[in-house]
Amino acid sequence: MGRAFVYVILGGGVAAGYAALEFTRRGVSEGELCIISEEPVAPYERPALSKGFLLPESPARLPSFHTCVGENDEKLTPKWYKEHGIELVLGTRVKSVDVRRKTLLSSTGETISYKFLIIATGARALKLEEFGVEGSDAENVCYLRDLSDANRLATAIQSSANGNAVVIGGGYIGMECAASLVINKINVTMVFPEAHCMARLFTPKIASLYEDYYRAKGVEFIKGTVLTSFEFDSNKKVTAVNLKDGNHLPADVVVVGIGIRPNTSLFEGQLTIEKGGIKVNSKMQSSDSSVYAIGDVATFPVKLFGEMRRLEHVDSARKSARHAVSAIMEPEKTGEFDYLPFFYSRVFAFSWQFYGDPVGEVVHFGEFEEGKTFGAYWIKKGHLVGSFLEGGSQEEYETISKATRLKPAVTDVEELGRVGLEYAETV
Ligand code: FDA
Ligand code: NAD
């Protein structure tokens, strides 16, 4: 027994939600589209989980952050999917996919067939076990990828008031969760192997300002080392964390953010994989012409840099989703996906945006102080390729975005640092 759909979206995260809205705008008929997701809830804005969801007062809860509220667009509640004749199959894992036969097999034993498949399976959090440390199952060891992780973390936070948290990892999850823990009056120690936080993007100068601010909020940093083991009580709760450098840290809650792996396993041996993701062309189409991939799981050509990239950010999930739907429904009218990478984050009163590629020589500008506007430009082979701005206005962010897209030639790097933001206005 099985059901057949014209379009199937595998995965029910950010990209799936934005794809669904695009399908309805382009005119999908009742019963043509199915979304199948392991999560028990309709697609939501995942970034809320490390921010509003963890607030001590009036935390964000569904249905308030279903997609596509992140772009001030329609909020797609389960009722919306019903009204638009979209089949939402929730709480259901897809166990296998047969790309040649165009079928999926769900954990409930149902076979679903498609004419077009959109893979939107996102990624999973890397586990400590993959680095040889046991203990991820302890109730106070928290990862943060989906709603059930967020509920577990919120519960752990509630039972750790005035206690100690150890945050493992100095990337996005580490920084955003550390801020949320502090706001919840928990003492935080961050542990990571690099010399400074947000090593994939921040320069030492930007990182140093952030770290000083975090320290002033009581956060301690232990850098250049990793966790080696946990200590447990008789209930298998973690009581302390042991580090390679010999440090022993008491812990009421541990938050782990050590990176992700894209969920490609259903397609290995069936589709081309590149840079850890499903390789797609500039129409988000995979090596099988009936199968598209979007969001964190897709490795696509970034035309601006002439390179294949896999990005792990919400803007790329939203835009790649729209582009794939357009390419499927109106192939003749859909051009190449021409995407300018865009990342952002908000912690405490800080808020930054980044456009482009953080490679090459760096020039800083502005006043490096909390509450002020400052930033950095990256110059590669004589051209501006990346721009970071902290504390900018909407207009200023648009300005740096437009300038970065043009990849202007930079002749005087020192001058760039002196004029700062004004440079982007003149491009
Ligand atoms: P996403 O992970 O959203 O969805 C994948 C879906 O597929 C899930 O519903 C999953 O259950 C499902 N799935 C996977 N395998 C399946 C299977 N076999 N069967 C059925 N279903 C399956 N980015 C940013 O730019 N700014 C920000 O502030 C943040 N903040 C942020 C906070 C937190 C806590 C996280 C975890 C991530 C962010 N991000 C972010 C990153 C951003 O959320 C991420 O890039 C997008 O969610 C990617 O969207 P996708 O739809 O590709 O995957
Ligand atoms: P990340 O790649 O940002 O950071 C991983 C961090 O793990 C590194 O900075 C490093 O410090 C640390 N690390 C690696 N190996 C380690 C080890 N053995 N021990 C200790 N630390 C180790 O990944 P993340 O912070 O886990 O975030 C997960 C995903 O969620 C990413 O895709 C990220 O883009 C996304 N996310 C994005 C945002 C945002 O864009 N604002 C916010 C939250 C999450």
Side-chain angles (χ1 to χ4, degrees):
M1 266 298 288
R3 285 183 286 174
F5 294 90
V6 182
Y7 313 106
V8 171
I9 303 175
L10 167 51
V14 173
Y18 282 77
L21 185 59
E22 191 66 27
F23 267 119
T24 60
R25 293 207 167 136
R26 287 175 186 273
V28 81
S29 305
E30 178 157 2
E32 281 189 338
L33 171 62
C34 165
I35 298 179
I36 178 161
S37 176
E38 196 173 2
E39 288 190 81
V41 292
Y44 57 87
E45 301 284 356
R46 202 164 298 282
L49 299 182
S50 52
K51 304 175 187 75
F53 196 91
L54 300 178
L55 290 176
E57 309 270 324
S58 320
R61 289 291 180 266
L62 287 174
S64 75
F65 59 96
H66 278 300
T67 57
C68 303
V69 295
E71 291 220 323
N72 298 320
D73 210 322
E74 267 185 86
K75 183 166 76 180
L76 317 186
T77 58
K79 192 165 157 247
W80 179 92
Y81 291 92
K82 210 172 190 152
E83 282 167 3
H84 287 81
I86 298 171
E87 189 71 28
L88 203 50
V89 182
L90 299 176
T92 307
R93 184 174 173 75
V94 168
K95 282 200 315 190
S96 64
V97 179
D98 189 330
V99 167
R100 206 173 44 82
R101 290 208 167 100
K102 301 189 181 187
T103 56
L104 318 178
L105 180 64
S106 81
S107 53
T108 57
E110 189 184 16
T111 299
I112 292 178
S113 62
Y114 60 82
K115 193 163 167 232
F116 292 100
L117 174 67
I118 300 184
I119 305 167
T121 47
R124 65 170 181 86
L126 269 170
K127 288 284 170 85
L128 286 168
E129 280 72 4
E130 295 169 67
F131 295 90
V133 176
E134 299 296 318
S136 287
D137 290 342
E139 67 178 60
N140 57 342
V141 172
C142 303
Y143 291 83
L144 187 52
R145 183 71 201 178
D146 60 20
L147 194 62
S148 68
D149 295 336
N151 279 321
R152 181 177 160 127
L153 177 56
T155 304
I157 286 175
Q158 269 165 20
S159 55
S160 307
N162 302 311
N164 298 309
V166 176
V167 172
I168 308 291
Y172 288 94
I173 293 285
M175 291 300 278
E176 292 185 6
C177 289
S180 294
L181 289 161
V182 167
I183 293 166
N184 280 280
K185 300 195 165 45
I186 296 174
N187 306 310
V188 178
T189 303
M190 291 189 72
V191 178
F192 49 83
E194 296 92 354
H196 65 73
C197 69
M198 291 288 292
R200 286 208 290 174
L201 176 68
F202 283 7
T203 64
K205 189 175 166 88
I206 299 172
S208 154
L209 183 120
Y210 267 74
E211 288 177 13
D212 286 348
Y213 186 86
Y214 273 55
R215 276 192 202 96
K217 292 274 181 190
V219 176
E220 207 181 306
F221 288 90
I222 303 183
K223 307 180 198 177
T225 192
V226 291
L227 155 118
T228 48
S229 63
F230 289 124
E231 287 174 20
F232 302 92
D233 65 13
S234 54
N235 297 318
K236 298 228 167 89
K237 255 183 100 169
V238 166
T239 55
V241 169
N242 294 317
L243 306 184
K244 202 171 184 174
D245 69 0
N247 259 301
H248 169 93
L249 310 170
D252 298 293
V253 54
V254 177
V255 179
V256 186
I258 55 173
I260 60 169
R261 283 288 175 276
N263 291 318
T264 56
S265 61
L266 294 172
F267 300 95
E268 273 150 30
Q270 301 195 75
L271 300 176
T272 307
I273 308 282
E274 190 171 315
K275 295 190 174 168
I278 291 168
K279 183 183 181 184
V280 293
N281 62 18
S282 60
K283 302 213 163 182
M284 312 313 290
Q285 190 176 34
S286 76
S287 52
D288 180 293
S289 60
S290 307
V291 181
Y292 291 68
I294 56 180
D296 282 11
V297 79
T299 301
F300 62 92
V302 176
K303 204 174 156 189
L304 203 60
F305 304 129
E307 268 181 38
M308 296 296 286
R309 293 279 171 92
R310 196 183 57 71
L311 298 173
E312 300 176 352
H313 294 276
V314 75
D315 183 64
S316 129
R318 293 167 179 161
K319 295 208 168 87
S320 61
R322 292 202 191 103
H323 195 82
V325 174
S326 165
I328 292 170
M329 297 190 78
E330 292 188 276
E332 296 82 26
K333 288 194 195 156
T334 306
E336 293 184 328
F337 188 43
D338 186 8
Y339 183 66
L340 171 70
F342 161 49
F343 323 144
Y344 72 89
S345 182
R346 290 190 299 272
V347 285
F348 296 116
F350 284 116
S351 177
W352 58 259
Q353 297 196 2
F354 173 83
Y355 293 88
D357 207 10
V359 292
E361 189 183 347
V362 184
V363 185
H364 295 96
F365 61 84
E367 283 180 81
F368 270 68
E369 267 176 55
E370 184 235 328
K372 297 278 165 68
T373 304
F374 59 86
Y377 294 122
W378 280 256
I379 297 107
K380 189 181 161 193
K381 293 186 183 154
H383 289 264
L384 176 76
V385 293
S387 304
F388 174 97
L389 185 63
E390 164 70 47
S393 64
Q394 202 43 47
E395 211 179 9
E396 287 167 336
Y397 288 129
E398 276 164 29
T399 303
I400 61 159
S401 153
K402 279 187 194 144
T404 313
R405 180 172 272 287
L406 293 170
K407 282 208 296 184
V410 175
T411 42
D412 187 342
V413 174
E414 267 177 39
E415 174 70 4
L416 197 60
R418 264 194 306 276
V419 294
L421 196 51
E422 279 172 34
Y423 167 77
E425 286 158 11
T426 61
V427 171

